[in-house]
Amino acid sequence: MRLQGKVALITGAGSGIGRESALLFAQEGAAVVVVDVNVAGGEETVAQVVAQGGRAIFVRADVSQDADCRAMVAAAETEFGGLHVLFNNAGIMHAADDDAVNTEESIWELTMNINLKGVFLGCKYGIPALRRSGGGSIINVASFVALLGAATPQLAYTASKGGVLSMTRELAIIHARENIRANAICPGPLRTELLMKVLNTEEKRKRRLVHIPMGRFGEAVEIARAALFLASDESSFVTGSTFTVDGGITAAYVTPE
Ligand code: NAI
């Protein structure tokens, strides 16, 4: 059991990467705080964890809201006695997120508030709890678009993920002597709700697949496995790193036919 005795809080755990991580972390012995704005999705994740014999609770929280983030961390300490893994995973990719000329200010602000401020608020309340537990691991989900520019415009999303990546490095340095590690995962294109809603035709999906050397979308569980490594003590000397899990997309100049 790689997370025996640990308490993990996962935001956006009502779907996709977050749900797969909740299931995997619980299998490895963690008690999981499942956080989402989507009550039905979050409760379903908890039901699945419990059905496989694990421990989890659901907390409805919007990561862009200060009071919600304070409450989700408090729930981890009240229900499970501490916090060891803070997995800031919740994020959105808005259909109206476009280029600089065509993106409404409201879409920019919504995206930044959830994707970037949400990570800040998770850390604002999560770090004191990690300290009280003697240290732990922060995992922030950025994206391959934090490393590469895309012609498909989604300016607010890309900027938010660049922010997550650089914020993670600074968090890692500031807290390195406190037994708190912070790392970012940069997933490539995944076959989850978030991306499939945007790539909603066969043609759009094919256009994206051309750029992925492995020739397929990633699965949420493939990111969950990377997160498990960063959450566990196996990654005890890993901090401030960019863990790219992308089917080779950021390494490619030309992909195989
Ligand atoms: P998903 O859409 O399946 O799951 C995201 C979850 O976050 C949903 O359950 C949603 O309800 C929740 N959420 C949205 N806004 C929230 C808020 N304000 N507060 C709390 N929860 C909220 O998406 P997926 O693919 O699992 O995404 C997880 C993370 O991975 C996101 O940060 C996303 O940007 C990132 N990512 C995804 C990629 C992909 O291709 N799917 C690629 C690179 C990064």
Side-chain angles (χ1 to χ4, degrees):
M1 294 270 220
R2 296 159 73 184
L3 296 179
Q4 192 63 48
K6 304 218 193 253
V7 179
L9 185 155
I10 307 175
T11 67
S15 167
I17 297 172
R19 173 175 289 168
E20 291 300 328
S21 301
L23 291 168
L24 192 58
F25 286 17
Q27 280 164 28
E28 293 292 337
V32 183
V33 181
V34 170
V35 172
D36 212 291
V37 274
N38 176 351
V39 176
E43 285 177 347
E44 173 57 26
T45 300
V46 170
Q48 290 187 21
V49 169
V50 170
Q52 66 177 19
R55 285 202 301 160
I57 55 161
F58 172 64
V59 178
R60 193 224 165 258
D62 176 344
V63 296
S64 68
Q65 302 299 315
D66 183 284
D68 286 13
C69 289
R70 186 196 293 258
M72 73 187 184
V73 171
E77 293 192 300
T78 314
E79 295 292 323
F80 294 131
L83 183 69
H84 308 95
V85 178
L86 173 65
F87 189 2
N88 292 307
N89 162 75
I92 59 158
M93 183 187 276
H94 203 284
D97 186 5
D98 204 301
D99 59 21
V101 178
N102 293 301
T103 302
E104 295 293 337
E105 195 178 347
S106 61
I107 299 298
W108 173 273
E109 283 174 351
L110 179 68
T111 303
M112 286 295 170
N113 283 342
I114 297 173
N115 292 9
L116 185 55
K117 191 173 90 175
V119 174
F120 156 65
L121 290 175
C123 292
K124 185 175 178 63
Y125 295 106
I127 288 170
L130 294 174
R131 281 185 182 138
R132 289 190 284 272
S133 295
S137 173
I138 301 169
I139 306 159
N140 296 330
V141 178
S143 168
F144 72 101
V145 301
L147 304 166
L148 285 180
T152 324
Q154 39 172 27
L155 208 71
Y157 183 83
T158 298
S160 73
K161 294 303 186 178
V164 169
L165 188 57
S166 36
M167 180 165 47
T168 305
R169 281 192 289 261
E170 189 147 309
L171 287 164
I173 305 316
I174 293 170
H175 301 288
R177 303 281 170 104
E178 298 182 87
N179 195 31
I180 295 173
R181 301 181 293 106
N183 293 285
I185 300 182
C186 289
L190 306 177
R191 207 170 52 84
T192 62
E193 252 320 272
L194 179 128
L195 187 63
M196 294 303 119
K197 260 194 314 207
V198 178
L199 303 182
N200 53 6
T201 65
E202 197 49 33
E203 197 191 331
K204 284 186 194 166
R205 284 197 275 272
K206 271 197 185 138
R207 192 180 182 299
R208 184 63 62 92
L209 280 176
V210 166
H211 300 286
I212 309 172
M214 284 190 178
R216 66 171 177 87
F217 291 105
E219 299 296 333
V221 69
E222 295 179 297
I223 307 303
R225 291 189 195 119
L228 173 60
F229 170 69
L230 293 174
S232 77
D233 294 339
E234 289 161 23
S235 57
S236 51
F237 200 50
V238 183
T239 199
S241 78
T242 305
F243 195 164
T244 307
V245 188
D246 70 349
I249 195 167
T250 54
Y253 172 50
V254 177
T255 57
E257 293 290 314

